[in-house]
Amino acid sequence: MAGNFCAVMESQLRKALADLPIGEIRYFESVGSTNDLALEWAAAGAPDFSLVLADEQTSGRGRMNRKWFTPPGAGLALSLVLRPNDFERENIRLMTALAALALVDALKAYNIPAQIKWPNDVVINRKKTAGVLVETAWLGLDVEALVLGIGVNVYPESVPPESELYFPATCVQSETESQVERLTLLCELMAELVSWRSRLGTDTFMDAWQLSLAFCGEAVRVYGAETALIDGVLDGLEPDGSLRVVANGDRHVVHFGELSLRPL
Ligand code: BT5
């Protein structure tokens, strides 16, 4: 497996996460993308809820092959291998929300009112702090594994220069008075992931997602490669997690994976 493996950190992680029902753990000082390693590991039989964590990513990626910036010592870059049950297999579109909701809840420990910028970003005070990238490993026509990639800006060095951003960004440490430790935040995030996974798609899950939605009731612009640009008011979530936007009195339902969103 590629990457610069670090056994000391891996055993620290194992201890810190010992109380959680998770699979195996692999830690690297520097990798291309943790999602790539997790996809390879999934194909090689990684057990459910196995974790790949890296201090630095040299080719971290976002959706549509956009870049995700992960310099050393500054953020969290992790990918989880999930072996989906039947419900999860049929509701892959909820997995991005699972990761986002887990982080929103983990940040409550720091008194941070984080929100979800549909579909895959976590924002604090309207600035992007984290992104989620879910990828799928197929076996024939079946989903063999899901890889849940999560990048979190923890310290200021993790925030890319403004010139490289389409949307303002921040980091967890800049938004709280508390001292943030990456290992502690990781443990809190993992605990929330375990907890929200068991409630995936329930009313509690959908309500929490709706409540965490950023820019609700505000004028937004929704755009996507195959979808006409919509200027309207963000109205909320549909029961299946699609986004509802009202424009000139018409309701538009925007499905997953198609679009981005930004306030006007
Ligand atoms: C995302 O994509 O936000 C998903 C990011 C997922 C990253 C994780 S890290 C662990 C795992 N391994 C990977 O290789 N990826 C996952 P998207 O919505 O397409 O946003 C990408 C855009 O966000 C870029 O085009 C930049 O404009 C901006 N960006 C890049 N790095 C950023 C950062 N650290 N903080 C804020 N914005 C960033």
Side-chain angles (χ1 to χ4, degrees):
M1 178 168 279
N4 183 2
F5 173 74
C6 174
V8 175
M9 186 61 192
E10 203 174 275
S11 79
Q12 264 184 33
L13 278 170
R14 226 181 285 284
K15 261 189 224 147
L17 295 169
D19 290 342
L20 292 176
I22 64 171
E24 293 175 18
I25 298 172
R26 289 182 176 173
Y27 175 82
F28 300 91
E29 279 169 2
S30 181
V31 296
S33 154
T34 55
N35 264 31
D36 286 343
L37 295 195
L39 284 165
E40 276 175 34
W41 194 13
D48 183 48
F49 234 111
S50 289
L51 169 68
V52 179
L53 182 74
D55 185 50
E56 174 188 31
Q57 292 186 118
T58 52
S59 42
R61 60 171 183 272
R63 294 175 304 155
M64 292 169 271
N65 275 329
R66 290 192 286 243
K67 291 198 171 108
W68 183 259
F69 182 66
T70 319
L76 286 174
L78 61 124
S79 298
L80 281 170
V81 178
L82 301 183
R83 300 278 171 199
N85 60 31
D86 288 345
F87 180 79
E88 290 170 341
R89 207 170 267 124
E90 282 158 26
N91 290 279
I92 293 174
R93 66 204 153 67
L94 297 179
M95 288 299 178
T96 306
L98 164 67
L101 261 183
L103 182 61
V104 165
D105 268 9
L107 292 175
K108 287 180 181 160
Y110 302 86
N111 277 325
I112 293 178
Q115 291 182 301
I116 300 173
K117 173 174 167 279
W118 190 96
N120 72 316
D121 294 342
V122 173
V123 295
I124 305 175
N125 293 325
R126 308 168 77 90
K127 288 180 264 176
K128 181 160 173 169
T129 312
V132 179
L133 178 68
V134 177
E135 294 182 305
T136 315
W138 295 88
L139 188 64
L141 292 177
D142 285 332
V143 174
E144 192 191 18
L146 293 172
V147 167
L148 208 57
I150 309 174
V152 187
N153 298 338
V154 181
Y155 301 124
E157 300 74 29
S158 59
V159 179
E162 250 174 64
S163 57
E164 289 182 24
L165 294 173
Y166 302 107
F167 197 87
T170 187
C171 67
V172 178
Q173 187 62 80
S174 300
E175 305 292 332
T176 180
E177 302 281 303
S178 318
Q179 180 60 39
V180 185
E181 297 296 340
R182 284 188 298 164
L183 183 57
T184 310
L185 178 59
L186 173 76
C187 293
E188 289 158 346
L189 173 59
M190 292 293 288
E192 293 293 348
L193 282 162
V194 169
S195 161
W196 278 112
R197 187 185 185 187
S198 68
R199 292 174 285 168
L200 191 79
T202 59
D203 288 349
T204 315
F205 182 99
M206 299 306 291
D207 290 350
W209 187 7
Q210 167 74 50
L211 273 175
S212 305
L213 213 54
F215 313 125
C216 238
E218 293 187 35
V220 292
R221 170 167 290 179
V222 187
Y223 61 94
E226 291 161 16
T227 314
L229 185 138
I230 305 169
D231 283 336
V233 171
L234 198 162
D235 196 42
L237 290 177
E238 288 286 285
D240 69 351
S242 303
L243 191 72
R244 202 168 52 243
V245 178
V246 176
N248 301 322
D250 291 333
R251 277 173 67 233
H252 298 262
V253 174
V254 182
H255 300 286
F256 268 74
E258 297 172 351
L259 302 163
S260 298
L261 156 82
R262 61 186 57 209
L264 289 177

